[in-house]
Amino acid sequence: MSFKDEVQQTAKRGANALRASLGIPADGPPDLGVILGTGWGDLLALEEEKNLPLTRLPGFEHIDALEGHKRLVCYGRVSDKRVIALRGRVHLNERPCHEPTVLAVRLQAQMLVELGVRTF
């Protein structure tokens, strides 16, 4: 299986897990996706927020804690917009830096695309 195919299949599984865990309707994807990095994890206030640790999603099981990164996927509302946010992203230079880490870097955005997000 190619790297691209592996990312796409894992992203689809992750999107399905997010729908099931956070109650995201299949016919109503989030209006906006946000990836918040170091120091920005608390910036976004979501109404009716639900969250899930990133490590509970396919492809992210090996990700370690990183200072300043909550490593949460959060779903809620800002005004009338449905928003999904990653509070703490995966970096390519994280240790150990090996194939699963490279997969997770691409996977974090691809998973939101598979969820139906079109605006980041």
Side-chain angles (χ1 to χ4, degrees):
M1 177 183 318
S2 73
F3 179 78
K4 181 180 176 183
D5 291 340
E6 182 180 358
V7 170
Q8 188 168 19
Q9 286 183 6
T10 305
K12 284 181 182 180
R13 291 193 340 263
N16 289 335
L18 287 173
R19 282 188 195 97
S21 297
L22 301 179
I24 301 170
D27 62 347
D31 300 300
L32 180 65
V34 181
I35 300 175
L36 300 164
T38 307
W40 295 94
D42 293 326
L43 178 70
L44 183 64
L46 295 174
E47 301 166 17
E48 303 173 18
E49 181 177 321
K50 299 176 188 173
N51 62 60
L52 182 70
L54 188 62
T55 55
R56 293 189 45 203
L57 293 169
F60 297 99
E61 302 92 340
H62 72 284
I63 299 299
D64 292 329
L66 186 62
E67 187 175 341
H69 290 63
K70 290 188 175 187
R71 301 283 165 105
L72 289 173
V73 182
C74 303
Y75 177 69
R77 295 186 157 289
V78 173
S79 190
D80 64 339
K81 301 294 183 192
R82 295 169 301 212
V83 177
I84 188 138
L86 300 181
R87 294 188 192 270
R89 60 190 169 88
V90 180
H91 302 82
L92 189 56
N93 64 345
E94 288 186 38
R95 297 286 176 233
C97 187
H98 48 75
E99 190 172 328
T101 301
V102 172
L103 171 71
V105 169
R106 166 75 187 269
L107 182 59
Q108 55 195 342
Q110 185 69 36
M111 178 178 62
L112 299 184
V113 169
E114 291 294 335
L115 193 59
V117 173
R118 297 296 178 254
T119 303
F120 285 86

